[in-house]
Amino acid sequence: MKRPSIDSQKISSKVVKRLRATIKHQDFCGRRYKIVWKKPTKELAGGDAWGLCDDPSAPEKTIHISPHLEEYDFLTTCLDEAIHGCNFSLDNDHVAEIADSIGLFLWKIGFRLEEQKDGKVKKN
């Protein structure tokens, strides 16, 4: 899928800090994953990637997501890894297409990460 031209800003360090402090685990279809807000290493991912989801049979299931992205890329990366967490058997290219389609739809209807005045991350 061709990436549309999107006006997206890099996620602020305050938002990254808040994500790391507040979201440490997430359940996907009954499987609990540890969330690591860090780009996976090339060795771990088998190449350059913004995110990575462990096989659900792994004893300590982990999802890595780079928070140092523009907001739109961050959104689609989160969707991609969440889809893998829900159904790991799906083909990676198909998952990327699903994540891009849903991400673009959510972006068009206005979903963004925002910082509140108290410093907390608010999902809009």
Side-chain angles (χ1 to χ4, degrees):
M1 179 176 197
K2 183 183 174 196
R3 184 178 190 269
S5 176
I6 293 193
D7 183 26
S8 179
Q9 303 298 316
K10 194 160 177 116
I11 296 173
S12 74
S13 59
K14 283 185 180 184
V15 170
V16 171
K17 185 177 178 180
R18 179 60 62 186
L19 286 170
R20 286 184 173 146
T22 59
I23 303 173
K24 298 179 185 238
H25 294 89
Q26 180 62 41
D27 291 343
F28 294 102
C29 295
R31 296 181 193 102
R32 188 153 185 86
Y33 282 85
K34 178 181 178 185
I35 306 297
V36 177
W37 298 108
K38 182 178 175 184
K39 182 177 179 171
T41 64
K42 288 183 180 183
E43 295 78 26
L44 188 61
D48 196 31
W50 291 339
L52 179 70
C53 179
D54 282 345
D55 187 303
S57 66
E60 293 186 32
K61 292 172 277 305
T62 303
I63 291 178
H64 289 77
I65 298 173
S66 174
H68 303 291
L69 300 170
E70 288 190 7
E71 242 185 324
Y72 180 77
D73 294 329
F74 179 74
L75 173 64
T76 58
T77 301
C78 288
L79 287 167
D80 186 291
E81 302 317 324
I83 294 165
H84 281 301
C86 290
N87 189 342
F88 195 76
S89 66
L90 292 174
D91 175 74
N92 199 44
D93 289 338
H94 184 60
V95 169
E97 185 177 9
I98 293 168
D100 288 341
S101 295
I102 295 170
L104 182 57
F105 174 67
L106 292 174
W107 193 263
K108 283 180 176 180
I109 63 175
F111 275 80
R112 306 288 190 275
L113 287 172
E114 291 183 357
E115 258 182 75
Q116 294 177 331
K117 290 181 183 177
D118 62 6
K120 293 182 180 176
V121 175
K122 178 178 97 173
K123 185 79 174 186
N124 211 11

